[in-house]
Amino acid sequence: MRGSLGVFNLFDLLQLLSQNHSKGCLNIFHPSQREGRVYFDTGRITHVSFGALTDAEALRGLLRDERGNFVILFAVAL
């Protein structure tokens, strides 16, 4: 699945992946040339990266500036 943030709200997208008990990786291609990745396992976030940031700091950074495109790769593990 792919789309554009702005059309999709990142918080709602994360919530949907959680509720569906998804496993995989949400890749976010941010206009700042930084890439964000959110890994899920059975709906739980297991790791987040955004540029040099990781985990809680990375998630805050992604939610603070919801721009870019995304691709969800299901069944991908960290």
Side-chain angles (χ1 to χ4, degrees), residues 12-73:
D12 291 342
L13 186 56
L14 294 172
Q15 192 171 30
L16 177 67
L17 291 168
S18 176
Q19 290 173 348
N20 288 331
H21 303 283
S22 298
K23 179 178 182 174
C25 180
L26 169 63
N27 290 322
I28 300 167
F29 306 99
H30 196 269
S32 69
Q33 303 302 318
R34 293 188 293 174
E35 186 174 335
R37 290 188 177 158
V38 181
Y39 290 90
F40 287 86
D41 189 4
T42 59
R44 296 186 61 197
I45 295 174
T46 58
H47 180 71
V48 183
S49 65
F50 182 45
L53 304 174
T54 59
D55 298 319
E57 288 180 334
L59 186 57
R60 279 192 294 272
L62 287 167
L63 289 170
R64 190 176 11 242
D65 190 355
E66 295 187 41
R67 297 182 294 150
N69 298 311
F70 68 87
V71 174
I72 301 171
L73 303 171

